[in-house]
Amino acid sequence: MTSGNGTLGTMSEDTEFRKTGIDFAMMEPRDQLKTLLREHMHDKPFSELAPVTFDHRGAALIGHIMLDTLEEQGYSIEDFDAVGALTAAAVPMVCSLMHAAASRGEDLDGFVMDFVYPAIKGPSIAGKRVILIDSWLSEKSYVQTSSLVTLRNGNELSLDFGIVDAQGATVVAVAALIGGVDMEEPTLRITDPVTGEAHETPFVEIFHESELH
């Protein structure tokens, strides 16, 4: 089956066309990404979103949409120097962000957290401002992952912050492709497991769970 622009359409595009009558290629980029996420998430309470983040269309969309959303929330590309994957699920997102930034003539490094030897894998982040990202971070009780604990009491995320701090970097914000924090201006409460001190860090949701179900 061919799409409206005469090219061979994928099964995903054909399915969406039959459902809505709208050619996938004619949608706005954000709507294209939302379509891919909705199709994958159908009847799924949680996913690491690999079928979307490793899809050539998703990979091309995610970086630009995340950069645009971050800027809308007050974080332009000039406000951070690197993006770090909190989990392996976010690694393809880091790559998408780096390529999107490069296409705009901007330099952006990437890294991934390493919990075996508490450190990072990637270029040095000493003295840099970083944004930590993941595919899906939620505080909903049905999400049975470490992210649940992370967003509910901050203990696990505090380990990530501790590693970044030990590397001499500063966390500007945390961002997720899908977020489930029910606040008008979402923030994450990070608790130091040693001192018990807590502080809040901005949380940027590219899509809220409610948009996709």
Side-chain angles (χ1 to χ4, degrees):
M1 178 177 178
T2 58
S3 63
N5 59 9
T7 60
L8 185 63
T10 66
M11 183 178 297
S12 171
E13 293 169 357
D14 292 344
T15 299
E16 185 61 27
F17 182 82
R18 287 196 298 271
K19 287 180 179 178
T20 66
I22 301 174
D23 188 341
F24 182 88
M26 299 301 292
M27 295 179 181
E28 291 295 323
R30 186 178 176 87
D31 290 331
Q32 288 181 329
L33 183 55
K34 183 185 290 188
T35 295
L36 294 176
L37 290 169
R38 276 180 170 168
E39 182 174 292
H40 168 64
M41 289 171 54
H42 181 64
D43 293 333
K44 291 183 177 68
F46 181 77
S47 168
E48 292 187 336
L49 307 179
V52 176
T53 59
F54 281 101
D55 185 294
H56 67 282
R57 297 162 299 168
L61 292 165
I62 287 170
H64 287 288
I65 291 173
M66 289 195 74
L67 287 178
D68 291 343
T69 304
L70 285 166
E71 185 166 9
E72 290 168 3
Q73 296 299 313
Y75 304 99
S76 73
I77 190 68
E78 297 178 352
D79 295 323
F80 53 98
D81 310 296
V83 288
L86 285 169
T87 65
V91 171
M93 295 168 56
V94 166
C95 294
S96 294
L97 279 159
M98 292 169 61
H99 286 296
S103 74
R104 301 181 183 193
E106 302 288 349
D107 296 327
L108 183 65
D109 286 334
F111 63 94
V112 61
M113 307 304 296
D114 183 355
F115 296 105
V116 177
Y117 302 99
I120 66 159
K121 292 181 178 179
S124 171
I125 57 173
K128 294 185 176 181
R129 302 157 300 170
V130 307
I131 290 182
L132 300 178
I133 66 172
D134 212 339
S135 56
W136 190 340
L137 291 174
S138 176
E139 61 183 1
K140 301 296 190 299
S141 60
Y142 60 75
V143 181
Q144 300 300 316
T145 69
S146 61
S147 297
L148 172 63
V149 178
T150 294
L151 298 191
R152 286 206 162 192
N153 58 37
N155 287 341
E156 291 188 19
L157 199 55
S158 69
L159 299 178
D160 298 283
F161 275 62
I163 291 173
V164 170
D165 184 65
Q167 298 289 316
T170 302
V171 177
V172 174
V174 175
L177 186 55
I178 299 176
V181 177
D182 292 327
M183 299 171 64
E184 188 171 331
E185 295 183 1
T187 59
L188 301 181
R189 187 175 180 80
I190 310 301
T191 304
D192 188 314
V194 177
T195 66
E197 296 181 355
H199 67 277
E200 294 188 342
T201 297
F203 179 46
V204 178
E205 303 172 326
I206 309 307
F207 294 98
H208 191 274
E209 292 172 333
S210 60
E211 296 181 71
L212 302 170
H213 284 298

